[in-house]
Each structure stands twice: as C-alpha cells, then as structure tokens.
Amino acid sequence: MRSPDQEDPFAPLRPLLAAEAAAEASPGGGIEAADLEQAVWLRLLELGGPPPEPDRWLRRAVRAEVRGHARRLRCERPYDDPDRAGPPTAGRGVEDQVLADEQRRAVRAAVRRLPGRCPEVVTALMSRSDPTYREISRELGISQGSLGPLRSRCLGCLRTILNSRVGSPGGRGNAR
C-alpha cells in the first residue's frame, strides 16, 4: 500500500485516459471504454513511468488499441465458422494475385509522388483501419471541414498520375 506522502506519477493521466477511452470506444464495435483503459494502462506500466508527452502518447495509444481491436475483429474467425470458405485468396489464381500486387505497388508509388500534404491524406484514407474523417483530421492536424476538399484535390492528382502512367491506347495491329 502506498503511503500518502508518495505521489502517484500516473494520477494526472487518469482523467485524460478515461476521456480518450470513452471518446474512442464504439458502442456497437465490441470494445468498451473500460477495456481500452485497461489495455493502455498495461502499455503505460510496460513503459516503467509516464511518457515524455503523456497527452499525445495517450491519444496515440488509445487509437492504436482501437485499430488493433478492429483488425482482430476483421481477421479472426472461430474454428467452427460455417461461412469460412478458406483463406482470403481462395478462388483467385496466381496471375490475379500477381496483378493485384502490381496494381497496389503502382498506386503506392503514385501516392508517394503526390504534392504537398496529399501523400499523408491519401495514405490515411487507404488505411486498413478505415478511419473516420474525424480521426484523420485529428491525426493530421487538419480541420475536419477542409479534409473533404483536400481529399478531392488529392484524389484528382492521383488520378492524373495514374492515367499518365498507363498512357493512351495506340492503334492496334497497325505497323507504322
């Protein structure tokens, strides 16, 4: 038991963590605020002390736990799941997988060539965790209202880059 003269270094973090967990917990998503708090407390205790920027660290840790939970929900299946037909790539041929991989690489390369903040925005939009506009705007430090127009401009630039990569179709079968 801790004596009253010893101060708890984590005491200032309790209300902030409770608020972050309550804000990020999804009622129908299967994760509760208490579960989020517990997971983040475990991360904090593994650190051995409060992090240098506790408010920022807590926000990131809570979001990481939410993303991890969402990922597990998408990927995990019980052994007796009758809807499970096999691995996610079952039914796809090797050629289809290679073409899909090549297409993903081309899109990622085009995203890296985008101007300004567009690479950050498009990468956030393409995230497997499927973040909301609110989450993306908080993560990137952009107002939520300006995210939509910025997204449209960035996707237009991406479309232009990808179309220029493909080129225009030439005359087929005509030797010149």
Side-chain angles (χ1 to χ4, degrees):
M1 182 112 190
R2 194 179 290 261
S3 67
D5 59 333
Q6 291 178 329
E7 187 177 319
D8 181 8
F10 296 110
L13 303 179
R14 292 180 199 284
L16 180 59
L17 177 55
E20 284 293 328
E24 293 292 333
S26 55
I31 189 162
E32 297 179 10
D35 293 335
L36 279 174
E37 281 187 63
Q38 185 176 19
V40 174
W41 276 120
L42 180 62
R43 283 181 175 214
L44 264 170
L45 292 174
E46 287 172 346
L47 282 178
E53 296 179 8
D55 54 339
R56 188 177 220 190
W57 186 92
L58 280 175
R59 280 188 215 105
R60 287 184 176 172
V62 168
R63 286 190 200 122
E65 288 297 329
V66 170
R67 285 191 305 267
H69 179 74
R71 186 173 36 254
R72 285 188 297 276
L73 279 179
R74 282 193 309 270
C75 297
E76 292 178 354
R77 300 278 187 267
Y79 283 119
D80 59 343
D81 187 353
D83 295 333
R84 186 169 169 94
T89 58
R92 291 178 58 191
V94 174
E95 291 176 10
D96 292 337
Q97 290 176 3
V98 170
L99 290 173
D101 288 343
E102 179 61 31
Q103 187 176 28
R104 279 190 291 277
R105 276 192 293 276
V107 170
R108 277 191 237 113
V111 167
R112 285 190 298 269
R113 293 184 7 225
L114 289 170
R117 298 203 69 183
C118 287
E120 294 173 281
V121 172
V122 174
T123 300
L125 290 168
M126 291 172 42
S127 172
R128 290 180 182 259
S129 65
D130 195 25
T132 63
Y133 267 28
R134 181 174 151 224
E135 293 168 339
I136 293 172
S137 65
R138 259 195 289 166
E139 189 74 28
L140 299 178
I142 301 172
S143 72
Q144 191 172 343
S146 65
L147 188 58
L150 180 59
R151 172 194 146 275
S152 295
R153 284 192 300 272
C154 293
L155 291 177
C157 289
L158 181 62
R159 190 176 301 112
T160 301
I161 290 172
L162 290 172
N163 285 340
S164 68
R165 182 181 168 270
V166 172
S168 60
R172 297 177 190 222
N174 297 333
R176 294 182 189 219

